[in-house]
Amino acid sequence: MSRIGSRLIGAALALALGAAGGCSSGEGVDVDGGAAQGGAGGVLTAAIGGEPDQLDPHRTSAYYSFEVLENVYDTLVEPDENLRMQPSLATKWTTSADQLTWTFTLREGVRFSDGSPLTAEDVKYSYDRIVGEKLNAAYKFATVKSVAAPDPTTVVVTLSAPTPNLLANLGGFKGVAIVERSNVESGAIKTKPVGSGPFAVASYTSGDSIKLVRNDNYWNTKPKLSGVTFTFVKDPTVALQNLRGGEAQWTDNLPPQQVPALADGGEITVQRKPSADYWYLALNQARKPYGDVNVRRAVAFALDPAAITKAAKFGLATVNQTAIPKGSSWYYEYAPYRHDPEQAKRLLGAAGVSGLTMDLMVTSEYPETVSAAQVIAAQLKQVGITVKIRTLDFAQWLDEQGKGTFDAFMLGWLGNIDPDEFYYAQHHSGGTFNFQKYRNPAVDKLLDDARTQTDQGARKQAYDQAAKQIVDDASYIYLYNPDVVQGWSKKVTGYQARTDRAIRFRDVALAK
């Protein structure tokens, strides 16, 4: 899915992360969407932990934005509960024998929420926009030579090389959603986007809430809810109070230390599932002395990820020194670091570094980064590194990250499906989100080759080698894979938490 903005248990995750779905050469998939009218089911209030930075799906990278946009937009295909790609706007697709031409047949009669028809030209416009303007998901189109719309219901994607994860690239998250050109050109997409999904944005009150209403032009079964209101509640204690008091009926911002008791209490429904997310610490290699691998490794040896995870997640996470979680078939078991302050001091000495002061950037909209930062600072102090914690709101945090004005930051990646999503944008020298300025030609080649490798075993080996080098180079210092934890009122039916953290309210009903 995206950076902060996770894309069920055990075997499901193992199958999911490599799934391309769809069909092989000459084969097709065809699923017709229903059009039954949903009944009025009231307005559900969802308390989320922060405010979106914007609602343009191609420009945002914030999870809070995608929580909303999941209910507003569609993609050609979309992941099911096992993260296998299924038809959405496209009802079927075929691939050529050389796997370089993919032909998608669009669902007929689809309209945007404003009543305008959605055609193949809208798909072409959306993809051309992402690539041409080098927007956040442009890296997913690296092998796409062209996108054509020969008729209103046909999209032809021509590739420069076989791309086994193409379906995940075109539907894994709403960052590749199909947008309406006039909505983009007017600039309204930032606060009042127009999509073809189950709900439409009715209003956006900055600092307070975003209100969605049922999209009566929706091509599939109409939602039972008449609307969804997303409220921005940073404090997990307040979010829980709102849930208990009936001011909210759903939240993913529960106080982590209270989750076990809440799950056992029966007052609200609580679901906890493994995720495909990871959280990490990144050091800015464009700033001295962090370009020295010995300094980055010293920081890794100075840290105790178990203590950091306990402080940040209260046991609702699994320590992992690589990105991909243990439940996945793409998992690579590798843990070269241990909490060893003496080894950290030796590496700092080898780098000629002493009396280092580190600027650590965190955001109040992800409180776990603030909690973890206190522990990180205490651990680094033991090896002579003084940490100055800089706590920003998320919009400012993103701006500082983009400008490279930081020594270090802690954050997470959510909603990953294919292994390419765990590594390419973050660690390839040309990666869109390589804000730490990591460069290793060997890693570049491994990541480039793996993208077009159709042999599953060879692809796994390439990603294992890349993961090992990334960890050895401490491009990211991986900390943990968090669980998905969400809670909702007993009045809510039809909702299930997902490992990709896609928040879908289209099948939800709310009892009176």
Side-chain angles (χ1 to χ4, degrees):
M1 181 174 184
S2 66
R3 189 161 44 111
I4 269 306
S6 199
R7 266 260 213 219
L8 258 154
I9 295 177
L13 257 179
L15 289 169
L17 290 173
C23 47
S24 59
S25 176
E27 297 177 340
V29 174
D30 197 337
V31 175
D32 291 326
Q37 179 68 43
V43 176
L44 180 142
T45 298
I48 60 178
E51 181 172 358
D53 64 331
Q54 61 174 304
L55 295 179
D56 182 339
H58 297 166
R59 291 191 180 277
T60 185
S61 60
Y63 177 61
Y64 298 134
S65 299
F66 287 116
E67 290 189 89
V68 176
L69 297 174
E70 182 69 33
N71 299 278
V72 174
Y73 280 103
D74 287 316
T75 45
L76 279 192
V77 294
E78 67 173 11
D80 63 15
E81 65 275 9
N82 295 319
L83 305 190
R84 288 190 173 277
M85 293 300 149
Q86 302 296 338
S88 182
L89 291 177
T91 60
K92 62 182 180 181
W93 51 90
T94 58
T95 60
S96 60
D98 62 6
Q99 300 183 56
L100 297 181
T101 303
W102 291 61
T103 302
F104 295 86
T105 299
L106 300 188
R107 196 177 300 278
E108 295 187 8
V110 175
R111 293 184 177 273
F112 288 106
S113 59
D114 65 358
S116 303
L118 188 155
T119 71
E121 286 294 340
D122 297 295
V123 178
K124 175 176 169 55
Y125 169 75
S126 298
Y127 294 167
D128 285 350
R129 180 190 185 221
I130 293 169
V131 175
E133 298 183 29
K134 298 180 180 179
L135 302 181
N136 288 337
Y139 71 97
K140 293 178 177 289
F141 294 81
T143 61
V144 174
K145 289 176 63 177
S146 66
V147 180
D151 63 60
T153 59
T154 304
V155 175
V156 180
V157 178
T158 304
L159 307 174
S160 60
T163 306
N165 61 328
L166 182 67
L167 291 179
N169 287 343
L170 299 182
F173 80 124
K174 293 304 187 282
V176 290
I178 307 308
V179 300
E180 184 185 62
R181 184 169 191 158
S182 61
N183 186 232
V184 173
E185 293 179 343
S186 70
I189 192 170
K190 292 181 179 179
T191 56
K192 197 168 184 180
V194 175
S196 60
F199 295 93
V201 175
S203 65
Y204 183 171
T205 304
S206 181
D208 181 65
S209 64
I210 295 173
K211 294 183 178 180
L212 308 185
V213 295
R214 181 169 53 215
N215 174 17
D216 287 327
N217 289 312
Y218 186 45
W219 55 268
N220 206 338
T221 303
K222 304 298 187 294
K224 297 179 178 67
L225 295 171
S226 57
V228 178
T229 297
F230 289 89
T231 58
F232 317 139
V233 185
K234 291 184 180 181
D235 189 332
T237 302
V238 175
L240 177 58
Q241 289 173 349
N242 291 350
L243 188 60
R244 282 172 162 164
E247 297 172 53
Q249 292 79 45
W250 180 96
T251 188
D252 61 350
N253 193 24
L254 293 171
Q257 66 272 34
Q258 296 188 46
V259 166
L262 291 170
D264 293 338
E267 179 184 5
I268 60 175
T269 300
V270 176
Q271 278 194 359
R272 174 184 172 185
K273 295 181 177 180
S275 78
D277 309 349
Y278 64 86
W279 287 70
Y280 63 94
L281 182 72
L283 305 176
N284 189 350
Q285 296 173 40
R287 285 189 172 185
K288 293 181 180 180
Y290 306 106
D292 188 327
V293 68
N294 281 329
V295 175
R296 301 195 301 275
R297 288 174 177 165
V299 172
F301 277 110
L303 297 182
D304 180 355
I308 295 168
T309 302
K310 182 177 180 180
K313 301 300 295 182
F314 293 89
L316 304 178
T318 302
V319 173
N320 188 7
Q321 290 189 31
T322 58
I324 299 177
K326 293 179 180 179
S328 168
S329 60
W330 297 100
Y331 172 67
Y332 175 59
E333 187 172 359
Y334 187 57
Y337 302 111
R338 62 195 179 280
H339 181 48
D340 189 343
E342 293 308 313
Q343 174 66 358
K345 291 176 183 177
R346 285 191 289 271
L347 287 168
L348 289 172
V353 172
S354 63
L356 179 62
T357 297
M358 176 193 292
D359 160 61
L360 174 56
M361 190 170 68
V362 298
T363 173
S364 55
E365 294 185 49
Y366 293 96
E368 63 200 271
T369 66
V370 179
S371 301
Q374 304 294 331
V375 180
I376 290 171
Q379 292 173 353
L380 292 182
K381 186 177 181 179
Q382 296 176 11
V383 300
I385 299 175
T386 300
V387 175
K388 292 188 176 180
I389 300 170
R390 187 157 50 111
T391 305
L392 308 172
D393 65 61
F394 196 46
Q396 186 180 4
W397 189 101
L398 289 170
D399 184 58
E400 294 287 287
Q401 182 197 48
K403 292 187 297 187
T405 50
F406 63 88
D407 289 341
F409 68 79
M410 179 186 169
L411 207 64
W413 269 82
L414 312 183
N416 308 289
I417 295 178
D418 187 83
D420 181 77
E421 298 175 16
F422 286 86
Y423 297 119
Y424 195 94
Q426 303 90 333
H427 305 288
H428 192 283
S429 60
T432 310
F433 295 102
N434 185 354
F435 296 108
Q436 75 277 19
K437 304 303 181 185
Y438 171 65
R439 295 183 181 276
N440 186 319
V443 170
D444 283 356
K445 187 176 189 311
L446 286 166
L447 295 178
D448 285 332
D449 291 348
R451 296 189 118 184
T452 59
Q453 175 57 255
T454 57
D455 180 88
Q456 188 89 337
R459 195 166 186 245
K460 172 70 163 62
Q461 185 177 30
Y463 281 118
D464 287 353
Q465 292 174 13
K468 181 180 186 301
Q469 193 62 57
I470 288 165
V471 172
D472 285 345
D473 291 343
S475 173
Y476 280 179
I477 300 172
Y478 295 106
L479 299 172
Y480 57 82
N481 300 115
D483 293 342
V484 176
V485 180
Q486 297 170 1
W488 55 90
S489 165
K490 294 292 185 179
K491 294 182 178 181
V492 172
T493 57
Y495 182 83
Q496 289 292 318
R498 296 167 53 94
T499 57
D500 61 354
R501 293 188 195 272
I503 309 302
R504 295 181 183 174
F505 290 127
R506 64 194 186 200
D507 298 322
V508 168
L510 187 62
K512 295 181 179 178

